[in-house]
Amino acid sequence: MGWQAGAGGGTAASPDRDPGIPHDGPPAARDPRLAWFASDADGRDALVPSGLLALAADEVSGPGRRCRGASDDELVGLLRGWTEIESWAAAGKLGVVAEMIRRDGRLGQAGGRHGDLPDQWSPSLRHELALALTCSVQSAQTTAWLAWELQARLPGIGALLHQGVLAPAKARAVIETFQYLTDADAAAAEALILGQLPGKTYPQVLRLAEQAALTVDPELAQRRREETQRRSARVTFFRELSGTAGLSGRDLPPDDALAAMAGVNTRAQQYEDSGAFGGLPMDALRAYAFTDLLKGTPAEERVACAEAQDEAADIAEALAWADARAARSAAQAQPGHPGEAEPDSEAGPAAGPDFDGPDFDGPRSHSGCGDACPPGRDDPAAKRHVGRDDDDNAGAPGRSDHFDDGSDGSDGSDTDSGDEEGDGPGDGRGDGPGPGSGPGPGPGGPRGPGASPAGRAAQPRLPDLIVPLMTLLGLAERPGEIQGFGLLDPALARSLAAAAAANPRTEVCVTVTSPDGYAIGHGCARPERLSRSARPPGPCSASPAGLPARLNLTIPVPALADLVGKADGAVGTRSWGFVPHVGASPPGGTGPPDGYGTWEFTLPDGRRLTVCLDAVPIERCDHRYESPGYHPGAKLRHLVQIRDGTCTFPSCNRHARESDFEHAIPFEKGGRTCTCNAGARSRSCHRVKQTAGWAVRQPRPGWHQWTTPAGRVYTQEPKRYPA
């Protein structure tokens, strides 16, 4: 018998309560404060956001926000009440930030033209806010600017925010629209729209603000456009939710952007007219054109690669059908087979036409070229063209400006990077002992500490590609990572690792990780002197073999012993290998203070590299890498960069390789130049650390404890690696 309504809310077949209606006990008495959230006679709310209203809304909403006893009208009133409380709370937060700006001004900043609110604030305040709000320094700077604008120039907008009339996003839209107006014009524009803002949607608020701004200053649009493209033009590199990459130019001059888009369309049309790309949509061809134009890949190379892929697909398909026919014929030739074929039978597949031969015009598995080509092919074209942009900021992982909090991942003023007293990555010492630091040109090419500054300046900055070694060996399916981009699924990690290994400029390192993912061992791979050989050119000249990178292979320390005696793991048709070096001490008995052994690493093309895994102190320091002077040695610098990963300020994402090597306790005050006293600091964070009230100490190597002028303490741990 199916469910039926019964007396008392049960069923005709069972005394249980209606299973479709949850009941948590006897009905609770109606809270009289629910009447506060009912509309008045005109259907409007009579709510004034305050701490009392927030407390009432929390209590009458009840456990699980079930709002027991509330009518439908009161339920809507509760929703509106929470929305107004949200705006009121945002106004309160920004008010506290404004007071911090006042106090920062009293600590030494010059006064301004806006009463007791200074026109500027210190980098120290930005960093204090970043730690308190758990955001980037750039995001903290934006918050401080919003707080300043609401009190210094647009108090009417601040009042609407405080009253719960204007949501934070709408208030920010008005502030950003009025930012290029003078104080007098901003006040006039605010007066024009204050009475019209209640009840408006975000697009309506934005339109009203733009109309008011252009009314008081007709030349604003031109001035804003020119200023924005001068100061804010940028190229952003980011990770899409699907795991693909995004590359975007923002705030560009309109004429340049239109001309560039015309060039992309022209190149894409060339690809479509060639007929080499099958049925790929024009958007996909524009994507090929976009990346090809940036890399300098000629259209002819892209088309030739596509044609080669089409021909290879045709041949593979024909061979597959030939194999299928042969197998079918062999089966039919067996005695007693009901459909025994004649010896000269040309019987094809059971359904459809004969697909044999290159004239079949059906669907093809087309991958184009460039990043879409199969990994492992040589790429002389990409070797010539990749990284021609001399701007270190263009697309450099670690300088991505696409983050959840809307910041650019840097700390605002941190536009330069180097070491203390100018001893930075650009001086030939900042990149550490990569495989190119030895006497011969290993996988990293003739790079390393001995390379000339001129030679190094001509090389593009290499992206940091982190791939678990167990994934390459086929022993696990663990994701990889690109600094500034994000996680890579195992298949993409293997593909990019193969592409990087195929490029002669790639630098290969191995990092041993603790169970928590911290770097506890590290070594830079060097080529075996007798195993260098030139690879034969691949069939596609625009494959990912043109991807030069810093390939950092991670492996958990327990897996080292497990690899002893294992054969090379196979990945597709090409193998990677990682075995103990012949004659080296057995890895099962190694570890600090002796390191983690010497290993042989085999690349997919057969080249062999040797890597000696040194210990990286993260618990106790025996000062084995200590430099007696102020400047660190190459190995010390490199191991600190590997251990820290990024700037050690908790909310800064600047790559350690682009940051200063900095002493927690200053060298002139007795601080060691050692792993236990060194850390990566972006130039901006380094300067803030040296201002009054700030201090950094390392209770143990790799743990950086920041104390702010307010007396708060924040700790940054070492980087956690995927392994």
Side-chain angles (χ1 to χ4, degrees):
M1 182 178 208
W3 181 90
Q4 296 180 358
T11 68
S14 169
D16 294 336
R17 303 293 296 272
D18 176 358
I21 304 175
H23 294 277
D24 299 327
R30 172 183 164 82
D31 193 316
R33 291 175 296 179
L34 283 169
W36 296 4
F37 299 92
S39 58
D40 60 18
D42 297 324
R44 294 174 298 184
D45 296 310
L47 302 175
V48 177
S50 64
L52 178 62
L53 182 68
L55 177 62
D58 178 54
E59 292 182 348
V60 303
S61 295
R65 305 310 187 204
R66 298 303 303 273
C67 307
R68 300 289 187 189
S71 66
D72 289 348
D73 175 55
E74 291 165 344
L75 195 62
V76 173
L78 270 170
L79 174 62
R80 291 176 62 85
W82 280 115
T83 303
E84 294 179 6
I85 291 168
E86 181 182 17
S87 298
W88 170 79
K93 182 181 79 170
L94 293 176
V96 172
V97 172
E99 177 59 23
M100 294 177 70
I101 293 175
R102 288 189 185 90
R103 297 191 182 189
D104 182 70
R106 290 205 300 268
L107 293 175
Q109 295 293 325
R113 303 184 306 274
H114 302 88
D116 64 345
L117 200 63
D119 291 342
Q120 297 179 351
W121 46 91
S122 68
S124 176
L125 175 63
R126 293 199 299 268
H127 283 70
E128 180 90 60
L129 285 173
L131 292 175
L133 299 176
T134 320
C135 65
S136 72
V137 178
Q138 181 62 33
S139 183
Q141 166 69 8
T142 300
T143 301
W145 171 68
L146 293 173
W148 184 89
E149 286 278 344
L150 288 176
Q151 293 207 11
R153 301 203 328 145
L154 300 172
I157 300 298
L160 292 182
L161 183 67
H162 179 78
Q163 296 163 13
V165 174
L166 208 60
K170 298 174 185 177
R172 178 170 177 168
V174 176
I175 294 171
E176 291 178 343
T177 302
F178 291 175
Q179 66 178 309
Y180 295 112
L181 294 174
T182 64
D183 288 357
D185 285 344
E190 181 187 54
L192 287 176
I193 64 173
L194 273 182
Q196 305 177 58
L197 293 177
K200 295 297 191 295
T201 65
Y202 180 89
Q204 292 168 341
V205 168
L206 185 59
R207 182 175 178 83
L208 284 172
E210 290 175 341
Q211 286 178 335
L214 291 175
T215 298
V216 301
D217 185 355
E219 298 179 355
L220 171 67
Q222 178 182 356
R223 191 168 66 252
R224 181 172 59 187
R225 182 174 63 252
E226 293 173 349
E227 181 71 7
T228 300
Q229 70 186 32
R230 184 177 72 87
R231 298 172 62 92
S232 303
R234 62 204 183 278
V235 174
T236 65
F237 173 71
F238 51 92
R239 183 182 187 274
E240 304 279 12
L241 291 178
S242 63
T244 57
L247 189 61
S248 172
R250 308 296 301 275
D251 287 319
L252 306 176
D255 52 347
D256 288 346
L258 289 170
M261 192 63 201
V264 169
N265 285 329
T266 299
R267 174 66 72 90
Q269 190 63 52
Q270 284 181 263
Y271 293 160
E272 185 177 55
D273 293 344
S274 71
F277 295 87
L280 279 184
M282 182 57 75
D283 279 344
L285 297 180
R286 288 192 186 97
Y288 286 147
F290 178 66
T291 54
D292 287 349
L293 288 170
L294 287 177
K295 295 189 299 181
T297 302
E300 295 77 15
E301 291 190 12
R302 170 67 73 171
V303 171
C305 180
E307 290 173 341
Q309 292 296 315
D310 263 358
E311 183 177 356
D314 287 340
I315 294 173
E317 194 163 27
L319 290 175
W321 281 110
D323 290 342
R325 283 198 303 275
R328 179 181 174 87
S329 298
Q332 291 175 338
Q334 294 296 325
H337 190 281
E340 182 173 347
E342 294 295 328
D344 296 331
S345 171
E346 288 289 343
D354 186 356
F355 297 127
D356 192 10
D359 296 330
F360 168 59
D361 195 26
R364 293 169 178 165
S365 174
H366 173 73
S367 59
C369 98
D371 293 340
C373 274
R377 292 182 173 179
D378 198 12
D379 188 2
K383 293 174 192 173
R384 293 196 300 271
H385 300 297
V386 71
R388 283 191 172 180
D389 192 345
D390 291 333
D391 182 3
D392 284 344
N393 292 330
R399 296 200 178 193
S400 170
D401 55 356
H402 183 80
F403 287 82
D404 291 342
D405 61 4
S407 75
D408 67 351
S410 68
D411 25 21
S413 62
D414 189 12
T415 56
D416 53 356
S417 62
D419 190 27
E420 299 172 311
E421 304 297 329
D423 176 19
D427 71 346
R429 295 189 293 266
D431 290 333
S437 62
R447 301 189 59 189
S452 67
R456 291 172 58 83
Q459 301 292 343
R461 181 166 294 152
L462 300 179
D464 285 76
L465 175 58
I466 302 171
V467 179
L469 186 55
M470 303 297 281
T471 298
L472 292 185
L473 297 177
L475 302 176
E477 290 291 309
R478 296 169 184 166
E481 176 186 320
I482 292 182
Q483 175 73 24
F485 175 75
L487 293 179
L488 308 170
D489 61 83
L492 181 57
R494 282 191 289 265
S495 175
L496 293 179
N503 190 279
R505 289 188 48 248
T506 289
E507 302 174 2
V508 181
C509 293
V510 177
T511 297
V512 182
T513 62
S514 71
D516 293 320
Y518 304 133
I520 58 175
H522 183 79
C524 295
R526 304 177 187 278
E528 287 191 343
R529 193 174 293 273
L530 298 178
S531 64
R532 297 182 192 146
S533 60
R535 288 188 317 283
C540 178
S541 62
S543 73
L547 175 66
R550 292 175 181 266
L551 181 57
N552 189 357
L553 305 174
T554 60
I555 184 168
V557 63
L560 286 177
D562 293 341
L563 289 178
V564 177
K566 282 186 178 292
D568 292 357
V571 179
T573 59
R574 297 175 181 268
S575 63
W576 301 79
F578 192 71
V579 296
H581 191 275
V582 176
S585 58
T590 62
D594 301 322
Y596 296 91
T598 302
W599 297 74
E600 288 183 358
F601 182 62
T602 305
L603 299 178
D605 60 6
R607 285 179 297 154
R608 292 188 177 182
L609 311 176
T610 301
V611 56
C612 180
L613 299 175
D614 296 309
V616 178
I618 62 168
E619 294 292 341
R620 293 176 299 276
C621 185
D622 58 8
H623 314 301
R624 72 175 68 186
Y625 307 117
E626 181 177 5
S627 172
Y630 174 73
H631 295 293
K635 177 176 286 190
L636 172 60
R637 181 193 300 274
H638 185 58
L639 292 181
V640 168
Q641 291 170 351
I642 291 295
R643 181 197 67 191
D644 293 344
T646 64
C647 168
T648 57
F649 188 76
S651 64
C652 184
N653 294 295
R654 181 60 57 91
H655 196 294
R657 189 160 39 87
E658 301 168 9
S659 302
D660 296 352
F661 178 99
E662 203 266 341
H663 297 74
I665 301 174
F667 180 77
E668 62 273 14
K669 295 183 180 180
R672 294 175 179 267
T673 305
C674 187
T675 56
C676 57
N677 189 50
R681 322 263 195 261
S682 72
R683 179 57 56 86
S684 177
C685 297
H686 184 175
R687 288 169 174 162
V688 165
K689 181 254 182 184
Q690 294 177 331
T691 59
W694 287 87
V696 176
R697 60 181 294 266
Q698 289 192 59
R700 48 185 171 146
W703 271 260
H704 304 268
Q705 200 172 75
W706 290 72
T707 302
T708 75
R712 298 288 181 121
V713 177
Y714 303 85
T715 301
Q716 175 73 353
E717 66 178 0
K719 176 179 174 61
R720 290 179 184 259
Y721 284 88

